[in-house]
Amino acid sequence: FPVTIPHVNPFSADWNLRTNQVATLYLSAGGNTLLKNPTNQVPGGTYILMVETLSGNVQLFFDTAYRFPDNAPPTLSPGASALDIFTFISDGRFMYGTASQNYSWV
């Protein structure tokens, strides 16, 4: 089962890849959250992040280790109760990601 990523404060979240290869981040309205650079990347490692928005109007920003096609991080699905799934492959330095978005989790 995915482990919940704790918020360090309402505006940032840490992801320890050693213990959380599959993790869930819950976001609620009224703020922007920075997903900080992950710790303990392993070259060739595959990691999955599920982002569940409890209400609309939230944004997730990715720190410098996260890379997406065309250098364009995806925008979270806008509705309440949306689920976006990010899959990453690590080279030990960067996390190369793709997104599957706008699932409903209710």
Side-chain angles (χ1 to χ4, degrees):
F1 290 97
V3 175
T4 300
I5 296 177
H7 282 85
V8 173
N9 60 54
F11 306 109
S12 68
D14 290 320
W15 190 7
N16 181 344
L17 300 175
R18 177 176 293 141
T19 56
N20 301 318
Q21 290 84 16
V22 177
T24 301
L25 178 61
Y26 297 97
L27 301 177
S28 57
N32 301 325
T33 298
L34 171 68
L35 182 61
K36 294 167 65 174
N37 287 332
T39 56
N40 301 305
Q41 290 185 61
V42 175
T46 301
Y47 306 99
I48 298 172
L49 176 64
M50 299 189 316
V51 179
E52 295 184 4
T53 55
L54 305 175
S55 56
N57 301 322
V58 296
Q59 290 184 322
L60 179 62
F61 296 98
F62 295 88
D63 213 340
T64 57
Y66 298 94
R67 299 287 194 251
F68 293 94
D70 299 321
N71 290 324
T75 301
L76 291 180
S77 299
S81 302
L83 170 65
D84 294 342
I85 301 172
F86 299 91
T87 303
F88 297 95
I89 296 176
S90 172
D91 66 0
R93 182 174 171 205
F94 295 111
M95 299 275 284
Y96 298 95
T98 60
S100 296
Q101 295 184 274
N102 211 24
Y103 295 95
S104 176
W105 59 272
V106 291

